Amino acid sequence: MSAFESTKNKILKSGFVPETVESLAFQLSNLNNIKQAESTYIKFDSEADKLPWPRDHDFGALALQKFSFNATFEISKFMLAKAIERAERCASCATSGGEGLARSRHVKELQAAYQK
């Protein structure tokens, strides 16, 4: 099971609803204009901030990463840059070394995807 699905399942079991975040990430991936993406991202960011971070992953970052592969090059780069920001914020909130290392793995994975 992917980190996306695993995190989504954990969020659902905690009583939260990740579908809005998933839907907004999908919408972002179908845009062709950065201005529209920036506007949609404001809504996305607000909704994603309402979700917990189970399994040391930010669901918002995972959703942006997942759907970025279907986007145009420009929108994909935008989505991955925002995913990196979210994942870095998640990693910076770690309360232990092991937790920080686990969270920073996702940051590195996103940075590698951004460099491609």
Side-chain angles (χ1 to χ4, degrees):
M1 182 178 299
S2 70
F4 176 85
E5 289 299 324
S6 176
T7 302
K8 180 179 176 178
N9 289 339
K10 216 40 170 162
I11 288 170
L12 287 167
K13 286 179 184 173
S14 297
F16 293 86
V17 181
E19 278 77 17
T20 302
V21 172
E22 194 171 0
S23 175
L24 287 166
F26 178 76
Q27 287 176 34
L28 274 166
S29 72
N30 286 297
L31 297 173
N32 293 314
N33 177 306
I34 284 292
K35 290 286 185 198
Q36 291 174 325
E38 289 169 343
S39 176
T40 302
Y41 182 76
I42 292 169
K43 293 179 236 171
F44 172 90
D45 195 42
S46 176
E47 290 298 319
D49 283 347
K50 296 176 185 176
L51 300 176
W53 294 336
R55 300 195 183 263
D56 296 321
H57 282 94
D58 170 69
F59 186 74
L62 289 168
L64 290 169
Q65 179 182 21
K66 176 182 178 178
F67 291 104
S68 71
F69 296 107
N70 299 324
T72 64
F73 180 78
E74 182 180 36
I75 299 296
S76 177
K77 288 293 191 181
F78 172 82
M79 292 175 75
L80 288 170
K82 293 300 185 182
I84 291 167
E85 287 176 17
R86 291 193 62 83
E88 286 176 337
R89 188 173 351 140
C90 178
S92 72
C93 292
T95 57
S96 71
E99 183 182 40
L101 287 173
R103 291 179 180 191
S104 66
R105 278 185 36 204
H106 189 218
V107 173
K108 290 178 183 178
E109 179 183 326
L110 288 165
Q111 289 170 335
Y114 184 85
Q115 294 303 318
K116 287 184 182 181

